[in-house]
Amino acid sequence: MEATVTRWTWRALTSEGTITAGEMMADSEAQVLGRLKRQKLRPLQVMPATRSGLFHAGLTSWLGERRNAALRPAELSDFTRQLSTMLGAGLDLDRSLRFLSETSPNPRITKVIGRIRDRVRDGGSFADALESEPRSFSRLYIGLVRAGEAGGALQDSLLRLADLLERERKLSATVQSAMIYPAVLLVASIFSIVLLLTHVLPQFVPLFEDSGAQLPTITRIVIAAGDFLTAWGAYLLIALFVGIFVARGAMERPSVRMTVDRLMLRIPVLGTLVREIMAARLTRTLGTLMRNGVPLVGALRITEGVITSRPGAACVAEATRVVREGGSLAHALERAKIYPVTMTHFLQVGEETAQLAPICLKAADIHEEASRVTIQRLLAILVPAITIIMGLLVAGIVSALLLAMLSLNDLAH
């Protein structure tokens, strides 16, 4: 009996951890599975195609990606510390993952842990299982886990990794929290000025027009600004959102991102803050990786992906090349003049004393504290500057009204 060729829809997981979908003509489901595996895809679902088979597969793929959303930083940190605790208590990896999966309060986290556990049970290493979840686990995370597995010290590696994640999260939270008050102050000030120009000022315009008096120049400018905002305010708001969207798209281009990042490094105080944060991340990541047994060149390659500033990442990439050829890491970073001199001096001491990992971790503490101090300095400058500028603008509007009222009084006399 001849086999019937059927159209099948399928969903599969790529080697990068993304979900893809498509259609295939085959005699059986087993044939589809075999072809997908030969293409180095991990089959997730295979079913006979319907009229909307491809659409259903694509929709299911999109929904799958939504369900497979990445673990948030706090969730990743908690998962890492809890897993380290379970392993330290004597449980094996499979039982630890099962416990965390069953006790997780979030179904999304449960699914992520469940998929990792399934791959470990299929015979893969823990690091390989994590590689199939690239949205949740970075190269840094996977590199530390792989080093821990190779050295038989997975529990210690996870404990250090949890400390690293918590420090990174606290540093990011410090920066974000520091920007909240200036942002709220700026928005409130702009709203107040727009309200004065578009609602308060127009109440006096008919009075000025009826008087027929020659208004002061500043009053005419303020009235013109109010008329402009009233007529074009909505379009300006739309243009602002479009500009933000276009700017975000432009920032995806490496050349544009490199230029913007270089400009940020030249801004007083803000550039210092960016440099200190880069130094803290570089030294913390490099020290943690080397402390867990990762060779210097491999650690530098992973660290390059942690640095979000393009000039800083390019500097690390060049330093990696220099180190691979036998050169000095500290000298390579110092020549670029991107990172603080304090950091490069610490690295030089670490290289000379063969204590690079512990020196890096000590340097990270210093630069994290320097970042917090710089944030306080930035706030000390930014908040008064916003207050003064917006106060002057409001005072200018009020002065324009008062001058106009005084001119009306002079006319009456």
Side-chain angles (χ1 to χ4, degrees):
M1 184 175 180
E2 294 184 0
T4 302
V5 178
T6 307
R7 183 182 297 275
W8 301 82
T9 61
W10 54 266
R11 286 196 312 123
L13 192 70
T14 67
S15 58
E16 290 79 20
T18 58
I19 297 176
T20 184
E23 285 190 342
M24 184 184 297
M25 300 296 294
D27 297 336
S28 63
E29 180 179 348
Q31 190 176 30
V32 176
L33 293 173
R35 291 179 183 176
L36 292 176
K37 290 179 179 178
R38 284 194 294 274
Q39 296 174 18
K40 297 183 179 180
L41 297 174
R42 183 186 293 273
L44 299 176
Q45 184 183 51
V46 176
M47 60 182 181
T50 61
R51 294 179 184 177
S52 58
L54 187 59
F55 171 77
H56 180 272
L59 179 62
T60 306
S61 173
W62 180 79
L63 292 174
E65 289 186 7
R66 298 289 293 177
R67 288 194 298 268
N68 297 341
L71 297 181
R72 299 183 181 92
E75 296 168 344
L76 182 60
S77 177
D78 292 340
F79 164 76
T80 306
R81 190 166 295 282
Q82 290 170 8
L83 181 58
S84 174
T85 302
M86 294 294 102
L87 294 175
L91 297 180
D92 58 36
L93 182 59
D94 179 68
R95 291 177 61 191
S96 299
L97 291 173
R98 185 183 68 181
F99 175 83
L100 294 177
S101 176
E102 292 174 350
T103 58
S104 173
N106 192 320
R108 177 172 48 82
I109 302 176
T110 299
K111 290 178 181 179
V112 172
I113 298 176
R115 291 194 298 269
I116 294 172
R117 181 170 178 251
D118 289 341
R119 293 184 181 97
V120 172
R121 289 169 67 89
D122 288 341
S125 68
F126 185 41
D128 290 338
L130 296 179
E131 278 188 319
S132 64
E133 301 287 338
R135 289 185 170 187
S136 297
F137 303 97
S138 64
R139 289 176 56 198
L140 166 63
Y141 196 108
I142 296 168
L144 280 171
V145 168
R146 196 179 298 281
E149 284 186 306
L154 180 58
Q155 188 263 335
D156 292 336
S157 295
L158 289 172
L159 185 60
R160 296 191 185 106
L161 187 53
D163 292 336
L164 175 64
L165 292 173
E166 288 175 2
R167 285 179 176 273
E168 284 287 325
R169 185 160 58 92
K170 288 179 180 178
L171 184 59
S172 299
T174 300
V175 176
Q176 293 171 5
S177 299
M179 294 297 106
I180 289 177
Y181 178 62
V184 171
L185 179 62
L186 183 62
V187 171
S189 300
I190 293 175
F191 178 78
S192 301
I193 292 172
V194 171
L195 186 65
L196 282 173
L197 291 174
T198 59
H199 288 79
V200 177
L201 186 63
Q203 304 297 324
F204 294 88
V205 172
L207 177 63
F208 300 151
E209 292 176 347
D210 292 341
S211 68
Q214 179 68 26
L215 296 177
T217 302
I218 186 174
T219 306
R220 294 199 302 271
I221 293 174
V222 170
I223 292 175
D227 292 340
F228 178 80
L229 281 178
T230 302
W232 297 94
Y235 299 104
L236 289 175
L237 193 60
I238 294 172
L240 176 63
F241 284 113
V242 172
I244 293 174
F245 179 78
V246 172
R248 290 186 63 180
M251 288 292 287
E252 297 295 327
R253 300 176 60 182
S255 59
V256 176
R257 179 67 181 273
M258 176 70 77
T259 302
V260 173
D261 286 348
R262 286 190 182 278
L263 288 175
M264 288 186 63
L265 291 174
R266 295 174 183 173
I267 299 175
V269 184
L270 180 60
T272 302
L273 175 61
V274 173
R275 294 174 193 274
E276 293 293 348
I277 291 175
M278 285 197 306
R281 285 181 173 170
L282 187 151
T283 50
R284 179 71 62 189
T285 304
L286 187 62
T288 304
L289 285 166
M290 295 185 65
R291 191 175 179 184
N292 282 271
V294 180
L296 178 57
V297 173
L300 285 171
R301 287 174 179 167
I302 296 174
T303 303
E304 180 186 346
V306 176
I307 308 300
T308 55
S309 173
R310 289 298 177 94
C315 180
V316 175
E318 175 61 20
T320 304
R321 184 191 64 80
V322 172
V323 171
R324 193 189 306 115
E325 295 174 355
S328 166
L329 171 62
H331 292 161
L333 294 175
E334 188 175 12
R335 282 196 299 269
K337 300 185 183 302
I338 297 292
Y339 290 91
V341 177
T342 306
M343 187 200 78
T344 57
H345 286 177
F346 272 114
L347 295 180
Q348 184 175 355
V349 172
E351 288 180 312
E352 293 174 354
T353 60
Q355 296 290 321
L356 188 57
I359 291 293
C360 278
L361 294 176
K362 292 182 183 298
D365 292 335
I366 293 172
H367 288 293
E368 285 172 2
E369 180 61 28
S371 299
R372 283 187 282 270
V373 172
T374 307
I375 289 173
Q376 293 174 357
R377 289 178 56 198
L378 184 62
L379 285 178
I381 296 173
L382 194 59
V383 173
I386 294 175
T387 304
I388 292 171
I389 293 172
M390 294 304 172
L392 290 175
L393 290 175
V394 172
I397 296 172
V398 174
S399 298
L401 286 174
L402 291 177
L403 287 174
M405 297 300 292
L406 290 174
S407 67
L408 291 182
N409 289 335
D410 294 339
L411 184 65
H413 289 87

